Amino acid sequence: MFEKLRHLLGQQSGASAVPDEAVSVAQAAAMLLLEVAWADHEIEDSELKAMRRTLKSLYRMEDTAIEALIRRARADHDQSTGLFPFTRTLNDALTPDEKTALLTELWRLTRFGGERHHYEEHAIRRIADLLYLGHEDFIAAKLAARKRP
């Protein structure tokens, strides 16, 4: 009965932008990268380039797959009501070290949009909390991002 009601509500509201079970690890990571890039309400070409580089590095994806993933993340971001489906996917699939590596990439992304905006730091802190990473991981990732070009 609940599934039927959920299906009917989904049809009326234009359906959920991202069904929880359909979220891949790469898609979830792309969404988090996009969230940080969008924190200052502007996504610059340099940030998109950094996102492409990060996705290619972390997930060994082809350029066409990365472009499709970013397009989908942008569409999902416009419809999304939160990050939980994405962080849940990552919590289920990644080790703490892999989550910290992703957090480091989120910090690296902030360097490509010009001056770091305090909203970007807030977005990364919120993501770290949702990934169950402690403050020490948050700071370690920030320092690691500063060391790596």
Side-chain angles (χ1 to χ4, degrees):
M1 180 169 161
F2 288 114
E3 283 301 314
K4 191 173 191 176
L5 180 59
R6 186 180 322 186
H7 178 71
L8 288 173
L9 290 174
Q11 284 180 335
Q12 290 175 344
S13 67
S16 171
V18 183
D20 292 346
E21 60 275 4
V23 177
S24 72
V25 171
Q27 180 187 357
M31 190 63 136
L32 298 185
L33 288 161
L34 190 63
E35 182 71 14
V36 171
W38 177 247
D40 61 358
H41 295 283
E42 193 176 321
I43 299 175
E44 297 178 15
D45 289 337
S46 58
E47 291 171 317
L48 287 171
K49 185 178 179 182
M51 286 175 62
R52 289 179 188 102
R53 178 194 41 77
T54 296
L55 292 169
K56 187 171 201 138
S57 169
L58 289 177
Y59 302 107
R60 311 281 187 253
M61 299 174 71
E62 297 294 324
D63 292 341
T64 55
I66 289 171
E67 291 304 318
L69 190 62
I70 289 173
R71 273 195 308 279
R72 182 172 179 190
R74 289 184 91 159
D76 289 348
H77 189 264
D78 291 342
Q79 302 291 321
S80 178
T81 58
L83 296 175
F84 181 74
F86 308 103
T87 56
R88 185 179 75 190
T89 296
L90 295 171
N91 281 324
D92 290 345
L94 301 181
T95 67
D97 287 341
E98 291 169 328
K99 292 190 283 187
T100 302
L102 177 58
L103 197 65
T104 300
E105 293 301 323
L106 294 174
W107 275 113
R108 288 187 72 218
L109 181 64
T110 65
R111 293 194 324 219
F112 293 98
E115 186 177 317
R116 182 176 291 140
H117 199 279
H118 63 278
Y119 291 138
E120 293 171 332
E121 182 168 345
H122 175 73
I124 295 170
R125 185 174 299 279
R126 191 177 72 213
I127 290 167
D129 288 344
L130 290 170
L131 291 175
Y132 306 119
L133 295 172
H135 184 69
E136 63 280 355
D137 298 316
F138 175 81
I139 296 300
K142 184 177 186 177
L143 294 174
R146 284 184 182 168
K147 289 179 185 175
R148 242 175 71 212

